[in-house]
Amino acid sequence: MNSKRFIVLFLSLFFGLFFGMSAAALPPPHKGTISAINVGARFSSVSQSRGVVLYRDYQIDPVISLFFFDEKIAFFGSSMHYQQFIVDDRVRFRTRLVSINDNPLFPNHESVSKGDPDRKSTYEWSNGVDLFFPGYNDDYQGEIELSLSKDLTLHGGNYVSLVGKVKLFEFTTLNTRVEPNFVGTTGWGDRAHNEYLYGPSDREAGINNVSYGIWLAFPDRADRYYPIVQLMRYQVVGDSHRNAEYARDRNEGFLFSVIATYPLLH
């Protein structure tokens, strides 16, 4: 898919859904021009993206999140998000701009990163739709997330992501509602995307990664979109992707991560 077709597809989706249907009047968790400010950190047992390991050790990243206009717009350290429900509380549109790089933040041990690929930094524009069953409410049982991402500044590649979640059960602890979900993901990339992420010898488009595991959602405290606690098995699939230079010997594993933040606005 070339750039012009991608832009046409996005504009058709955005204007058709955003203006063709009335947005639901859902009460957001936090209202106001400045809705919320959170600070904290994220621990990840390994740094990986779309099945391939970027840094072979744990990472601790600062989390500073700013939410505006009833939480429709959010700024994070490396991304900007906009989201809007477009069909009651059942369908949500998302768009975001993300900085992409493979540089570890903390720690960054030369003994670990020596010999790692050094991909050039770039920016990716992602647009997606979330389908909630039966809706994003107390009866929530699961969802499907479909998104299309486009590289804007470096290689022009495209990536399609599909995420499925099923709520297993829910419980309350320390006055907090917790929803364990079984999650499965898969992704498809074109040749330009796969060459960038998996290595120059990867000249094939196709499904390139799968993952599955458990996410814990805290729906009264954070949007279900964010993996507050996750334990996932990830892997690159397809010989051309698994055996490319940047993915060889770093194409599967387990990821555990947890995000802890403190709200500065109440």
Side-chain angles (χ1 to χ4, degrees), residues 6 10 13-14 17-18 50 71-74 76 79-86 91-98 124-132 136 143-149 160-165 215 223-227:
F6 177 89
F10 167 70
L13 174 67
F14 180 83
L17 293 178
F18 188 75
R50 298 168 184 172
E71 295 195 352
K72 290 184 176 67
I73 297 177
F76 298 95
S79 63
M80 178 178 68
H81 300 238
Y82 171 81
Q83 62 182 25
Q84 173 71 58
F85 280 95
I86 54 178
V91 183
R92 180 169 65 182
F93 170 77
R94 289 181 292 100
T95 185
R96 61 181 185 145
L97 183 65
V98 185
E124 196 172 77
W125 185 22
S126 177
N127 301 280
V129 175
D130 306 331
L131 307 176
F132 300 101
Y136 194 103
E143 65 186 276
I144 295 174
E145 302 172 4
L146 179 64
S147 62
L148 172 62
S149 301
V160 178
S161 172
L162 179 65
V163 179
K165 303 178 187 177
W215 285 17
D223 194 292
R224 291 183 173 102
Y225 176 74
Y226 303 106

Side-chain angles (χ1 to χ4, degrees), residues 64-120:
I64 302 176
S65 53
L66 309 175
F67 297 86
F68 300 92
F69 303 107
D70 300 341
E71 295 195 352
K72 290 184 176 67
I73 297 177
F75 292 88
F76 298 95
S78 61
S79 63
M80 178 178 68
H81 300 238
Y82 171 81
Q83 62 182 25
Q84 173 71 58
F85 280 95
I86 54 178
V87 180
D88 302 323
D89 64 351
R90 293 174 293 156
V91 183
R92 180 169 65 182
F93 170 77
R94 289 181 292 100
T95 185
R96 61 181 185 145
L97 183 65
V98 185
S99 173
I100 304 294
N101 68 77
D102 59 6
N103 302 316
L105 185 60
F106 177 83
N108 183 3
H109 299 301
E110 184 178 355
S111 59
V112 176
S113 61
K114 185 177 181 179
D116 284 355
D118 185 17
R119 302 172 183 85
K120 293 183 178 179

Side-chain angles (χ1 to χ4, degrees), residues 85-220:
F85 280 95
I86 54 178
V87 180
D88 302 323
D89 64 351
R90 293 174 293 156
V91 183
R92 180 169 65 182
F93 170 77
R94 289 181 292 100
T95 185
R96 61 181 185 145
L97 183 65
V98 185
S99 173
I100 304 294
N101 68 77
D102 59 6
N103 302 316
L105 185 60
F106 177 83
N108 183 3
H109 299 301
E110 184 178 355
S111 59
V112 176
S113 61
K114 185 177 181 179
D116 284 355
D118 185 17
R119 302 172 183 85
K120 293 183 178 179
S121 298
T122 185
Y123 287 90
E124 196 172 77
W125 185 22
S126 177
N127 301 280
V129 175
D130 306 331
L131 307 176
F132 300 101
F133 306 102
Y136 194 103
N137 51 49
D138 290 341
D139 297 323
Y140 170 90
Q141 297 299 319
E143 65 186 276
I144 295 174
E145 302 172 4
L146 179 64
S147 62
L148 172 62
S149 301
K150 173 73 174 180
D151 179 85
L152 297 179
T153 60
L154 187 61
H155 55 80
N158 300 282
Y159 178 76
V160 178
S161 172
L162 179 65
V163 179
K165 303 178 187 177
V166 176
K167 186 176 78 171
L168 301 175
F169 54 91
E170 68 176 66
F171 62 93
T172 300
T173 180
L174 301 176
N175 296 318
T176 300
R177 182 160 55 113
V178 183
E179 293 178 348
N181 290 264
F182 177 79
V183 180
T185 78
T186 189
W188 176 96
D190 64 11
R191 174 176 169 175
H193 169 276
N194 294 339
E195 284 183 342
Y196 170 77
L197 186 60
Y198 302 114
S201 67
D202 188 351
R203 300 179 179 276
E204 294 186 11
I207 295 175
N208 49 38
N209 76 97
V210 296
S211 65
Y212 52 89
I214 301 295
W215 285 17
L216 299 185
F218 300 79
D220 299 327

